[in-house]
Amino acid sequence: MSRSANVLSTQTLKDFKLTLINFGEEARNALSGVEMELRRVRDWLERDQLGYWQSQVKRRQEELMQARAELHKRKISQQGSDAVSDSEQKEALRDAQRRLRIAEEKVELIKKRLIPFLHHEIAEYHSHSQPLGDHLAGGFERSIGAMEKMVVALESYLALRVPSAPRSDSVVESGAAATTRASTTDAAKASAADGGAEAPVEAQESEESATAKVDGSAATESARGESLVSGRAS
């Protein structure tokens, strides 16, 4: 069921729209920053770290082969003699084996644990941030447009002027004019019903005869007055 909005100020709506626009910009920048950071970490782990330790494995395999060769040479050189010792070559071989094992463990850790864990966390983040990103891409703009239309509609409504009530004199004059027009219309209809176009001529002749009678009565009264004055004077 629709309800009326208690809007007390259009300026408040304008301020809220501006705040919403600023929030949208900050949210977009934050999402872009996080995406850049995730890409940087993924590249660092998958390209830099994994590539580094894979190269270290190859390098340390070569070191191990070199240490074995040195030990073998030492053993050949001391055959038949008890004065020469090969403990140093054996220690270098053990150190090369240890270093190779560390590099191989690093590669295994990155490939089997860190990269899958990072991909899982990135997917988890995207599942939560994607709705906000989708809204900022489409629904957010529609919300801003709807708010702008709302502000324009309210300002147009507030700009309307209340019509003023007509004065009593104008009402009386309008009523009198309407009555006169109605009487004239009724008279015209009655005349048309009695004799068509001849009725106005007869009415005019009646008016002229009435005027002549009034003029004749006035002349008679004037003559009587003059005779009375003449009699008194004689």
Side-chain angles (χ1 to χ4, degrees):
M1 183 177 64
S2 62
R3 294 179 297 177
S4 60
N6 186 17
V7 180
L8 302 179
S9 174
T10 57
Q11 185 61 40
T12 303
L13 289 176
K14 294 179 181 179
D15 295 340
F16 177 71
K17 185 189 73 172
L18 181 61
T19 303
L20 194 61
I21 292 174
N22 293 334
F23 166 77
E25 292 296 329
E26 293 178 359
R28 291 190 187 95
N29 293 334
L31 292 176
S32 299
V34 173
E35 287 294 331
M36 292 178 62
E37 187 67 18
L38 290 176
R39 191 178 301 112
R40 187 186 67 82
V41 172
R42 186 173 58 227
D43 292 342
W44 173 80
L45 185 61
E46 296 179 354
R47 184 183 60 192
D48 299 339
Q49 290 298 309
L50 182 60
Y52 170 78
W53 286 110
Q54 285 176 341
S55 64
Q56 286 295 313
V57 168
K58 294 180 180 180
R59 179 179 178 181
R60 294 179 186 187
Q61 285 176 347
E62 294 175 356
E63 292 177 354
L64 178 61
M65 294 175 63
Q66 183 67 26
R68 286 175 177 174
E70 291 292 333
L71 179 61
H72 182 68
K73 288 180 182 180
R74 188 68 174 174
K75 287 182 178 181
I76 293 175
S77 64
Q78 69 177 359
Q79 287 180 354
S81 175
D82 296 334
V84 180
S85 174
D86 59 353
S87 59
E88 184 178 352
Q89 286 73 22
K90 290 180 179 179
E91 183 65 25
L93 178 60
R94 286 192 294 268
D95 185 66
Q97 290 174 343
R98 181 182 59 83
R99 285 170 53 83
L100 176 59
R101 184 173 62 254
I102 290 174
E104 290 175 344
E105 289 175 354
K106 293 289 186 180
V107 172
E108 189 75 9
L109 176 65
I110 293 172
K111 292 177 67 174
K112 297 293 183 64
R113 296 185 60 183
L114 295 183
I115 291 178
F117 177 77
L118 178 62
H119 288 175
H120 173 73
E121 293 301 318
I122 291 176
E124 188 73 16
Y125 163 75
H126 283 159
S127 65
H128 290 86
S129 64
Q130 192 65 35
L132 177 59
D134 293 340
H135 181 71
L136 291 175
F140 185 80
E141 299 297 334
R142 291 192 296 270
S143 299
I144 295 297
M147 189 168 295
E148 290 179 353
K149 292 180 181 179
M150 187 186 305
V151 171
V152 172
L154 289 173
E155 289 181 344
S156 300
Y157 175 76
L158 293 175
L160 294 176
R161 294 183 178 180
V162 179
S164 58
R167 295 186 302 174
S168 58
D169 297 340
S170 300
V171 173
V172 173
E173 292 177 359
S174 300
T179 304
T180 304
R181 287 195 297 271
S183 301
T184 304
T185 303
D186 294 340
K189 290 181 179 179
S191 299
D194 292 339
E198 295 179 357
V201 177
E202 293 178 357
Q204 185 177 1
E205 291 178 354
S206 300
E207 291 178 358
E208 291 177 354
S209 61
T211 302
K213 290 181 181 180
V214 171
D215 293 340
S217 299
T220 305
E221 293 294 333
S222 177
R224 289 180 180 177
E226 290 177 359
S227 61
L228 291 176
V229 173
S230 299
R232 289 180 182 179
S234 60

